[in-house]
Amino acid sequence: MALPTRLETGRLCLRPPEEKDGPAVIAGLNDIATSRWLGRVPHPYGAGDFAAWLGRAEAGGRWVITEGGAVLGALTLE
């Protein structure tokens, strides 16, 4: 069974990442309080890192979590 590409609740949305999400994802991953828990994420995290992550998103397993259109987080499932 294939997973849906988009899941929505009354408040949150889980959807594939888009280029417009870059600034929010980059800012979040450059917060040391966040990145110290993520062993496979480079720090500092830059636009090139996001572009590489986004480039692999077509294969699936990558999403952003949004609320009211604002990016709250991102995840990779491998």
Side-chain angles (χ1 to χ4, degrees), residues 8 11 13 21 27-28 30 35 37 41 50 64-65 70-71 77:
E8 293 189 51
R11 198 184 93 196
C13 177
D21 302 323
N30 278 317
S35 67
W37 296 102
V41 176
F50 178 77
V64 292
I65 304 161
V71 175
L77 197 65

Side-chain angles (χ1 to χ4, degrees), residues 4-71:
T5 56
R6 185 180 188 100
L7 296 172
E8 293 189 51
T9 69
R11 198 184 93 196
L12 301 173
C13 177
L14 181 70
R15 62 165 173 76
E18 301 171 0
E19 193 163 323
K20 69 178 183 176
D21 302 323
V25 172
I26 292 166
L29 291 174
N30 278 317
D31 179 348
I32 193 68
T34 299
S35 67
R36 71 183 182 133
W37 296 102
L38 306 172
R40 295 180 59 192
V41 176
H43 191 272
Y45 189 87
D49 299 308
F50 178 77
W53 183 77
L54 185 62
R56 294 186 300 273
E58 289 183 15
R62 286 164 174 74
W63 295 276
V64 292
I65 304 161
T66 64
E67 180 179 28
V71 175

